[in-house]
Amino acid sequence: MEQGYSLSLIALLRGIVFNHQKEIWENLLRYEPDVKKYFQPVGLELYLDKSEGYAFLRQIQWEEEIELPRLAEKRQLNFFTSLLCIVLRKYLLEQDAQGGSVRSIISEQEMINRIKVFLPVTNDEAKQQEKIISTINRVVDIGFLRKLDDQEKNYEVHRIIKGFVNADVIGDTLRRLREYAAEKNIGN
């Protein structure tokens, strides 16, 4: 195997690659065709968004039905995590529409406020807020958010969320999540 792009292969097998990972990112850009060629036979494709600065592997959707085991992890997200991801994607759309900076920063309190809009009123605000904060931490672990080193409890929304949450479904999905939360009395 060509040693030149081993760095890219290993990084992609471990997860998402961001452009702030300078050495890996430059290696990936340099060897992009080789990396794509390497993963293709095992049913994985490189999803590389140079303008937004991220890359990851995803399972190839074959035209004919071929039964292959999944290599790329597909995560089932719980209600709160799904809701936060959709809310963050909507926030990113709003920021882009305003023509703001490339970085999208959101405070913990702003995320809490945006999620509460979709939840039924509760008698235990503290418990609900604790659940939302633990969800924020889960989304940090997934890689869609990064906690900033400031006193304000601010987070950067990673633009990679655009590769996972389709902007066309945001309105309908938020409506369905709100209905589900009310029906199941989630958030209380």
Side-chain angles (χ1 to χ4, degrees):
M1 175 175 69
E2 167 66 41
Q3 293 296 320
Y5 56 90
S6 296
L7 181 64
S8 295
L9 299 178
I10 293 166
L12 286 164
L13 286 169
R14 294 184 77 199
I16 301 165
V17 173
F18 294 100
N19 63 358
H20 63 79
Q21 299 167 294
K22 296 287 185 215
E23 186 180 358
I24 298 169
W25 186 254
E26 289 170 6
N27 183 269
L28 180 58
L29 294 179
R30 181 174 177 198
Y31 293 106
E32 179 184 351
D34 296 318
V35 170
K36 285 181 176 181
K37 189 175 173 183
Y38 179 85
F39 285 116
Q40 203 274 335
V42 294
L44 294 175
E45 68 179 341
L46 174 66
Y47 185 92
L48 175 65
D49 191 325
K50 294 175 186 172
S51 64
E52 298 291 357
Y54 61 84
F56 59 92
L57 296 173
R58 63 182 177 189
Q59 195 91 26
I60 293 173
Q61 299 299 317
W62 300 100
E63 302 255 336
E64 63 274 2
E65 286 298 314
I66 299 174
E67 283 296 320
L68 293 175
R70 292 201 67 78
L71 283 172
E73 184 180 334
K74 201 167 196 170
R75 296 181 179 158
Q76 185 73 24
L77 302 179
N78 67 27
F79 172 81
F80 276 88
T81 306
S82 299
L83 178 58
L84 179 56
C85 288
I86 297 286
V87 164
L88 290 172
R89 180 64 175 100
K90 184 177 181 205
Y91 178 79
L92 202 58
L93 275 173
E94 292 167 1
Q95 295 298 301
D96 289 349
Q98 292 174 3
S101 70
V102 175
R103 293 180 69 199
S104 291
I105 308 300
I106 188 169
S107 71
E108 181 180 273
Q109 191 57 52
E110 175 78 10
M111 285 187 275
I112 291 168
N113 293 343
R114 285 174 174 258
I115 287 177
K116 280 184 173 183
V117 169
F118 296 95
L119 301 175
V121 176
T122 182
N123 295 332
D124 194 347
E125 288 282 324
K127 182 179 176 186
Q128 186 182 65
Q129 184 158 325
E130 186 179 302
K131 181 129 181 138
I132 294 170
I133 291 170
S134 71
T135 301
I136 291 169
N137 292 329
R138 167 112 170 90
V139 173
V140 167
D141 292 341
I142 292 171
F144 294 157
L145 277 175
R146 181 176 67 90
K147 186 162 182 11
L148 300 179
D149 296 327
D150 64 8
Q151 302 301 316
E152 317 301 314
K153 293 187 179 180
N154 286 322
Y155 293 79
E156 179 180 359
V157 181
H158 283 296
R159 302 187 81 70
I160 190 167
I161 201 167
K162 293 171 72 174
F164 290 89
V165 180
N166 185 339
D168 298 337
V169 300
I170 290 174
D172 186 51
T173 303
L174 286 174
R175 179 188 53 76
R176 286 186 292 132
L177 287 172
R178 179 181 280 140
E179 290 169 0
Y180 180 80
E183 177 184 313
K184 303 289 185 188
N185 205 23
I186 292 178
N188 291 329

